Amino acid sequence: MHKLTIDIDFLKTTLLELLHIPSPAGLTDEIVHYTGATLDAIGVPYELTRRGTIRAVLRRNMQERRLSSPACAIVSHLDTLGAMVREIKPNGRLALTPVGTWSSRWAEGGRVTVFTETSRYRGSVLPLFASGHVYNEQIDTQPVSWDQLELRLDEDIETSADVDALRIQIGDFVAFDANPEMLENGYIVSRHLDDKAGVAAVLAAVKAVVDSRVPVPMDCHVVFTLTEEVGSGARAVIQSDVSEVIGVDIGPVAAGQGAKERGVTIPLMDSAGPHDYHLTRRLLKLCEQHGIHSNRDVFRFYHSDASAAVNAGHDVRTALLCFGGDASHGYERTHISVLTDLAQLMTLYIQSGPTLAEDRHHRLDSVDSFSHQLDADQLAPVETSQPDVSELVRLNEAREPADPKGI
């Protein structure tokens, strides 16, 4: 097993190209085409579901003595946050509703594209009280809410009829510009790093495995989902032979969190519950053995493709591998070294084989070969001496003073 060299130029180029393709959940066909073409160039076969979820497969290339071997899945998502036209106002401004869960704080000031069924238009998302010269202190007192925003189109518009003439309709998608910057010191700042940075790292890892021709001991399904930001994600794309699913996504960096913009963040739990004990510890061990800095964390308000697979009823072990990103669901920031470490850890995992050999069986008929999380010493009872209550009573009786009246 080797920690493979990651093509950083490929990673950066792929990330920039992904960020420049609009893909709010529900408007993802074009980024599916891009990802499929990238897999074609790398030389990895894939298949698409009806809606476009991609399942590529790195095939096992080692001799297998057992009758069967489980597969693993690495899952990242192509969809991003966005918005949709909710109302066309009499003055020609557009009211919006969010696609995905995110605060209107981060929408204010955004440059956007409205995609109609035949064309596109540019505009800005503004607060209702946008001019200090007109509204003075009202600007600073209006609430934070999507109802407090409106989209100003960069067209000659004064009434709703002008909007109708452009064939803009309720339900048209609104994509927010990513505005990426890659700085010389390695920092990357952009909207939608969640999860396009994760996708770029996955593709870079796949490219490294293919180019190096290292042994792959079990089939690895590389899955790109389309609806993670709206809650479904990997619910319907995990094959029955997959025994473990690793989600690749952003790790929110903030006070009180373990995620960092350095190394790989491995959360032990998110809002869906704990991730698999054996798989998460194995990933942490791979980091330790191969000199990859790792951070442990627990996410309280976080859903992922991995948890979506379990919620859909798949009997799989799950884990998350995250790139630390500051200001998640806003103008996010990470570092190229984080994405490189993440890609290298994935190459090690792909080379490492099943977490537990017994997982090749869908069912066991005995606990004899089932795993253990705790050993005998950890389960030994804690010896706590108990007081003899009867002796305590006798001592108390002996201490009682004699009644001076003899009563």
Side-chain angles (χ1 to χ4, degrees):
M1 189 188 314
H2 305 284
K3 185 168 69 172
L4 303 180
T5 299
I6 302 301
D7 186 338
I8 295 177
D9 288 338
F10 170 85
L11 198 164
K12 288 181 176 179
T13 299
T14 301
L15 176 54
L16 281 175
E17 291 173 351
L18 288 165
L19 289 169
H20 279 90
I21 301 172
S23 61
L27 192 72
T28 51
D29 284 3
E30 306 322 309
I31 204 162
V32 168
H33 280 278
Y34 171 85
T35 307
T38 304
L39 290 167
D40 286 335
I42 295 172
V44 179
Y46 60 89
E47 61 182 12
L48 276 68
T49 66
R50 291 184 182 90
R51 291 196 297 171
T53 295
I54 297 172
R55 185 192 298 111
V57 182
L58 287 170
R59 292 293 180 190
R60 184 178 71 238
N61 57 17
M62 297 175 63
Q63 286 286 352
E64 179 57 66
R65 295 179 182 178
R66 294 185 291 270
L67 294 177
S68 62
S69 177
C72 66
I74 295 175
V75 187
S76 55
H77 65 92
L78 298 170
D79 60 306
T80 69
L81 303 167
M84 187 175 279
V85 176
R86 176 174 63 84
E87 176 190 354
I88 300 172
K89 298 182 178 183
N91 65 356
R93 300 291 175 98
L94 307 180
L96 303 177
T97 191
V99 173
T101 302
W102 61 304
S103 173
S104 64
R105 286 181 189 275
W106 287 112
E108 285 189 20
R111 289 290 292 166
V112 300
T113 303
V114 179
F115 290 98
T116 71
E117 293 176 20
T118 58
S119 189
R120 68 176 187 178
Y121 297 95
R122 295 286 290 166
S124 299
V125 177
L126 304 175
L128 297 183
F129 304 138
S131 173
H133 292 98
V134 177
Y135 300 106
N136 199 13
E137 293 180 358
Q138 280 185 282
I139 289 180
D140 298 320
T141 59
Q142 62 181 315
V144 177
S145 165
W146 284 87
D147 291 335
Q148 296 293 317
L149 300 180
E150 60 186 10
L151 172 52
R152 179 192 67 195
L153 293 168
D154 298 330
E155 300 289 335
D156 292 330
I157 290 174
E158 294 184 359
T159 67
S160 60
D162 296 327
V163 178
D164 291 339
L166 298 176
R167 302 182 70 179
I168 295 172
Q169 305 176 77
I170 291 172
D172 284 343
F173 279 98
V174 178
F176 284 70
D177 292 359
N179 296 324
E181 288 187 53
M182 290 188 174
L183 307 181
E184 291 184 4
N185 61 9
Y187 279 108
I188 303 169
V189 183
S190 180
R191 292 186 193 262
H192 311 319
L193 293 181
D194 174 12
D195 185 31
K196 292 184 176 181
V199 170
V202 170
L203 290 168
V206 170
K207 182 178 184 297
V209 170
V210 172
D211 289 349
S212 62
R213 300 182 180 181
V214 291
V216 177
M218 63 176 174
D219 287 353
C220 181
H221 297 197
V222 185
V223 180
F224 302 93
T225 65
L226 305 175
T227 54
E228 193 272 349
E229 293 292 2
V230 293
S232 52
R235 292 179 64 88
V237 297
I238 303 302
Q239 300 283 62
S240 61
D241 58 337
V242 171
S243 65
E244 48 199 68
V245 174
I246 293 180
V248 177
D249 216 323
I250 193 169
V253 173
Q257 294 296 143
K260 298 287 186 294
E261 292 172 281
R262 174 174 176 256
V264 179
T265 296
I266 301 177
L268 287 301
M269 184 172 75
D270 60 25
S271 56
H275 287 288
D276 183 74
Y277 183 95
H278 302 283
L279 181 53
T280 53
R281 272 73 180 177
R282 182 183 184 213
L283 292 167
L284 288 164
K285 191 69 173 178
L286 284 173
C287 289
E288 180 184 342
Q289 291 172 338
H290 295 274
I292 297 174
H293 182 81
S294 65
N295 311 294
R296 294 163 68 111
D297 209 346
V298 172
F299 296 155
R300 294 173 293 167
F301 312 111
Y302 191 105
H303 293 275
S304 70
D305 278 313
S307 58
V310 172
N311 291 338
H314 295 288
D315 181 27
V316 292
R317 304 183 185 280
T318 63
L320 268 175
L321 294 179
C322 298
F323 60 94
D326 187 64
S328 60
H329 281 194
Y331 275 106
E332 297 156 340
R333 187 183 74 176
T334 192
H335 197 276
I336 189 62
S337 65
V338 177
L339 302 181
T340 304
D341 286 344
L342 178 61
Q344 287 183 324
L345 179 55
M346 283 187 275
T347 68
L348 291 167
Y349 171 72
I350 291 168
Q351 298 174 69
S352 64
T355 297
L356 296 176
E358 293 75 19
D359 285 350
R360 69 183 184 276
H361 304 294
H362 287 274
R363 299 289 184 271
L364 298 175
D365 56 12
S366 168
V367 297
D368 291 345
S369 60
F370 190 66
S371 58
H372 289 277
Q373 294 170 316
L374 305 174
D375 61 28
D377 289 340
Q378 290 172 294
L379 292 170
V382 177
E383 297 294 340
T384 303
S385 60
Q386 302 294 327
D388 184 337
V389 178
S390 63
E391 185 63 26
L392 289 175
V393 172
R394 292 190 188 95
L395 289 171
N396 287 333
E397 289 175 346
R399 294 189 187 113
E400 289 179 359
D403 189 334
K405 295 182 180 180
I407 298 175

